[in-house]
Amino acid sequence: MSHPEYTIEQLISAKSIAARIEELAIEIQEQFFGTEKLIVVGLLRGSFVFIADLVRELDLPVEVDFLEASSYGDEIVSSKEVRILKDLRGEIFGRDVLVVEDIVDTGFTLSHVVNLLSSRKPNKIKTIALLDKPTRREVNIKATWTGFEIPDEFVVGYGIDFAQRNRNLPYIGCVKFTPTP
Ligand code: IMP
Ligand code: MG
């Protein structure tokens, strides 16, 4: 499948992301102070860079697990049907859980994942999203912590892709489509 040409404009610098993660880590540590073990659940694939930076700022006993929910495929419109493509490896019953998401857009993915994990009766479940597009919300859900609220723009970088590309950008950028001649 071919894609129209596009350019990327920086929206959030790598430095701003790092500074925000330091702030968020302090709040997360307060929330989970005294935990025996915090299970940090990254939603694949978009959160892999964020979770890597976040856990290194957490001075808590941490275990990392991953879950993959179906996403956009190669399209830029969201599908309301959320499927679990890869489940957790570990048990979360009675545990403290932090779900790490890249972007909350319509909210379908995060709400589905939180409902699923809550049914396994963790002790406490909290959520963090690097980015939030509140104007796009269709399900009433908000992450416990949000890195940055952004406008309704399609973004890439820092783990986030457009048709699997641009995950390796160190910053968050907006995709700007250039008209085809
Ligand atoms: P939701 O279920 O509509 O909230 O969508 C959440 C998922 O859609 C996120 O985990 C992202 O993977 C993806 N997504 C939402 N907005 C963007 C974007 O601007 N760029 C790339 N992926 C996005
Ligand atoms: Mg994605």
Side-chain angles (χ1 to χ4, degrees):
M1 189 183 156
S2 73
H3 295 282
E5 287 307 310
Y6 59 90
T7 57
I8 297 166
E9 280 175 19
Q10 181 174 295
L11 182 65
I12 307 168
S13 70
K15 219 172 157 179
S16 313
I17 298 169
R20 184 71 184 119
I21 289 176
E22 280 184 31
E23 294 175 350
L24 292 164
I26 291 167
E27 293 180 29
I28 292 166
Q29 272 162 206
E30 281 168 10
Q31 174 64 235
F32 290 104
F33 179 79
T35 187
E36 266 176 46
K37 182 167 76 179
L38 175 64
I39 306 190
V40 184
V41 173
L43 302 194
L44 291 172
R45 285 173 263 180
S47 74
F48 81 103
V49 176
F50 182 36
I51 195 174
D53 282 346
L54 182 65
V55 292
R56 283 180 288 178
E57 290 297 327
L58 292 180
D59 187 13
L60 291 172
V62 153
E63 213 171 88
V64 175
D65 206 340
F66 292 97
L67 187 145
E68 185 171 12
S70 61
S71 68
Y72 291 5
D74 283 354
E75 304 303 321
I76 61 170
V77 285
S78 186
S79 121
K80 295 180 183 185
E81 197 195 289
V82 181
R83 286 174 306 130
I84 300 301
L85 304 178
K86 184 218 168 287
D87 206 338
L88 299 179
R89 289 288 297 273
E91 302 287 330
I92 58 166
F93 177 79
R95 291 291 171 195
D96 293 327
V97 175
L98 176 65
V99 177
V100 181
E101 172 64 308
D102 55 355
I103 310 180
V104 184
D105 187 43
T106 62
F108 283 107
T109 307
L110 190 62
S111 87
H112 182 88
V113 168
V114 167
N115 288 340
L116 173 74
L117 298 186
S118 298
S119 73
R120 299 177 187 175
K121 306 267 183 283
N123 176 51
K124 191 193 273 187
I125 181 164
K126 301 283 173 188
T127 56
I128 183 167
L130 179 66
L131 305 175
D132 188 353
K133 295 184 196 171
T135 59
R136 297 255 316 152
R137 199 71 87 254
E138 291 180 43
V139 178
N140 184 20
I141 187 166
K142 191 163 171 46
T144 317
W145 298 280
T146 296
F148 303 89
E149 286 196 356
I150 60 168
D152 181 10
E153 298 261 10
F154 199 81
V155 294
V156 291
Y158 198 73
I160 300 164
D161 72 301
F162 175 32
Q164 301 311 322
R165 292 159 74 185
N166 310 119
R167 290 193 198 272
N168 56 328
L169 284 179
Y171 56 87
I172 300 284
C174 289
V175 170
K176 300 287 176 191
F177 294 95
T178 46
T180 40

